């Protein structure tokens, strides 16, 4: 599972007022800056939730969706996406909740005709939602799709676009939606107007996350004994450079610092769960990596551009609440604190 994350979207906010559409300044809302911590929740109890952290005061507010909407989130939280002045909370238990970023009040939802949604992108007035689709008798997902919803505040699914198995991250550019097809090592490009796949790019590893810098889209992909970073020229939608890094057992969790440095999680898996936080630095045509921290139970990662700190979450085996450890860029521990069940990602403003 992700999170983009979220591969998560990030924004820098250095003033205490935001501009409205009219150009007038208005005070920022309660949750308009700081860090949102995505707690996935426990399978079966579906108790995913979001915490809010003020990095300066270290004030931590728990369960802010429930606090602001007077009802539990009631799902397994897979991703949080900030687009079109809205926060989209994607639950892989079959729904998307849409909230106002300032106060976390509900704006709408997509709660029908989804199976196992993974992430979301906005194109014009449409939502595009990657979805594994239902499991078959062999627990495979041969009917994966990208769902289309007409309306930024949710509604019904108007179409399901067939894509390769297990689509993960999505990226919207111009009139296109770019899809990370993780199981079949494909990048699929959807025409957002026609709502059909118009081209496919085959990769040598499983694509997990996208990150855009200027006119270049980075693709983070993993294989058993290495990670591969591809670049895509957004003008032509063609592959550019490829960087292969001999980092074994990489997970889908990654954080970008915005300056050709990445932080990824690795895990040997069951039964040992030898996990690590690895820094990857790409300069020119070469890539180097450094192991910053080792342990077990690492589950999510994020990067705070304001303070140049790395946030690493630990699920603690889903035995009670998880924890978050804040690291300096060199790997020294700044602090540790408790969060919710299964913390898996961060959205850092």
């Amino acid at each position: 599972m992700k999170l983009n994350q979220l591969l998560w979207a990030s924004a820098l906010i250095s003033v205490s007022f935001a501009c409205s559409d009219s150009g007038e300044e208005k005070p920022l809302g309660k949750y308009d800056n700081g860090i949102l911590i995505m707690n996935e929740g426990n399978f079966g109890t579906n108790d995913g939730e979001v915490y809010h952290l003020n990095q300066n005061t270290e004030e931590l507010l728990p369960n802010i969706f429930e606090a602001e909407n007077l009802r539990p989130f009631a799902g397994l939280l897979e991703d949080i996406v900030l687009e079109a002045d809205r926060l989209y909370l994607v639950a892989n238990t079959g729904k998307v909740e849409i909230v106002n970023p300032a106060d976390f009040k509900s704006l709408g939802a997509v709660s029908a005709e989804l199976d196992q949604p993974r992430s979301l992108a906005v194109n014009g007035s449409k939502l595009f939602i990657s979805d594994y689709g239902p499991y078959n008798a062999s627990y495979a997902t041969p009917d994966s799709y990208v769902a289309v919803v007409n309306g930024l505040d949710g509604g019904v699914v108007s179409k399901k676009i067939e894509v390769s198995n297990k689509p993960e991250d999505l990226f919207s550019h111009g009139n296109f939606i770019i899809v990370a097809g993780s199981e079949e090592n494909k990048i699929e490009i959807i025409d957002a107007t026609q709502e059909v796949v118009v081209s496919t790019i085959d990769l040598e590893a499983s694509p997990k996350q996208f990150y855009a810098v200027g006119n270049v889209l980075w693709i983070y992909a993993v294989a058993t004994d290495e990670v591969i970073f591809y670049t895509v020229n957004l003008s032509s939608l063609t592959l550019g450079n490829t960087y292969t890094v001999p980092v074994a057992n990489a997970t889908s969790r990654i954080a970008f610092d915005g300056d050709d440095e990445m932080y990824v999680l690795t895990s040997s898996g069951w039964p040992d769960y030898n996990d690590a936080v690895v820094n990857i630095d790409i300069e020119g045509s070469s890539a180097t990596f450094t192991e910053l921290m080792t342990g077990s139970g690492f589950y999510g990662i994020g990067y705070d551009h304001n303070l140049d700190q790395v946030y690493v979450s630990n699920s603690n085996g889903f035995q009670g609440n998880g924890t978050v450890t804040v690291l300096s860029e060199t790997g020294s521990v700044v602090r540790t604190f408790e969060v919710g069940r299964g913390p898996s990602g961060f959205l850092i403003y």
Side-chain angles (χ1 to χ4, degrees):
M1 297 180 182
K2 278 194 304 188
L3 123 50
N4 121 77
Q5 111 226 209
L6 135 162
L7 174 136
W8 299 102
S10 297
L12 296 178
I13 297 176
S14 58
V15 294
S16 58
F17 288 83
C19 290
S20 66
D21 292 339
S22 65
E24 297 178 353
E25 291 185 338
K26 61 180 181 179
L28 288 173
K30 185 176 182 180
Y31 306 111
D32 264 333
N33 55 16
I35 298 178
L36 297 180
I37 301 170
M38 183 175 75
N39 301 287
E40 179 181 299
N42 194 43
F43 181 77
T45 54
N46 294 351
D47 53 352
E49 251 294 357
V50 181
Y51 282 30
H52 179 271
L53 173 68
N54 183 315
Q55 307 101 304
N56 298 317
T57 65
E58 299 186 11
E59 179 185 19
L60 184 66
L61 299 177
N63 304 332
I64 62 176
F65 181 90
E66 182 171 7
E68 300 297 343
N69 295 287
L70 304 181
R71 60 183 173 89
F73 178 74
L76 293 179
L77 191 53
E78 180 64 34
D79 202 0
I80 300 179
V81 178
L82 174 62
E83 286 204 42
D85 297 323
R86 296 159 175 83
L87 276 172
Y88 295 92
L89 312 182
V90 181
N92 67 13
T93 38
K95 68 172 181 174
V96 176
E97 294 275 5
I98 306 161
V99 301
N100 182 341
D103 57 17
F104 242 71
K105 301 293 186 183
S106 176
L107 298 174
V110 182
S111 57
E113 299 185 58
L114 296 175
D115 294 283
Q116 300 181 76
R118 306 293 293 179
S119 193
L120 178 148
V122 172
N123 192 286
S125 61
K126 298 178 183 179
L127 306 180
F128 290 82
I129 305 166
S130 56
D131 198 306
Y132 279 7
Y135 286 120
N136 64 14
S138 302
Y139 292 98
T141 57
D143 299 317
S144 295
Y145 57 87
V146 171
V148 183
V149 176
N150 292 301
L152 298 181
D153 293 330
V156 299
V157 173
S158 62
K159 185 174 182 178
K160 294 181 178 180
I161 305 168
E162 182 180 348
V163 294
S164 61
N165 292 350
K166 293 185 170 55
E168 292 286 355
D169 204 13
L170 301 176
F171 182 76
S172 178
H173 174 70
N175 195 45
F176 299 101
I177 296 292
I178 303 173
V179 185
S182 68
E183 188 166 271
E184 298 180 51
N185 299 354
K186 295 180 182 295
I187 297 297
E188 289 156 297
I189 299 174
I190 293 173
D191 184 305
T193 300
Q194 298 180 43
E195 299 176 2
V196 295
V197 175
V198 292
S199 62
T200 299
I201 302 172
D202 292 318
L203 303 178
E204 296 177 355
S206 173
K208 302 295 186 182
Q209 294 284 325
F210 298 127
Y211 181 78
V213 181
N215 198 42
V216 174
L217 179 67
W218 287 87
I219 303 171
Y220 167 60
V222 303
T224 302
D225 298 318
E226 60 189 15
V227 301
I228 301 177
F229 293 94
Y230 300 91
T231 63
V232 173
N233 185 319
L234 289 174
S235 297
S236 60
L237 295 180
T238 56
L239 285 181
N241 297 325
T242 299
Y243 304 88
T244 301
V245 190
V247 173
N249 301 318
T251 72
S252 62
R253 315 296 192 183
I254 185 171
F256 294 82
D257 82 340
D259 191 28
D260 294 346
E261 282 197 53
M262 298 80 170
Y263 297 86
V264 304
L265 296 183
T266 67
S267 178
S268 64
W270 186 87
D272 300 318
Y273 289 104
N274 295 315
D275 300 347
V277 179
V278 177
N279 167 241
I280 298 173
D281 185 10
I282 295 178
E283 291 188 13
S285 60
S286 64
T288 59
F289 65 95
T290 306
E291 197 172 81
L292 294 184
M293 184 172 72
T294 60
S296 63
F298 297 162
Y299 204 56
I301 193 163
Y303 185 84
D304 182 353
H305 297 76
N306 298 297
L307 300 175
D308 293 328
Q309 293 176 336
V310 182
Y311 281 67
V312 181
S313 67
N314 195 309
S315 68
N316 295 328
F318 286 86
Q319 302 302 306
N321 286 340
T323 53
V324 170
T325 299
V326 184
L327 304 176
S328 71
E329 288 184 298
T330 59
S332 60
V333 175
V334 177
R335 67 182 183 277
T336 300
F337 55 93
E338 184 177 299
V339 288
R341 185 71 65 86
S344 58
F346 305 87
L347 178 57
I348 301 176
Y349 292 98

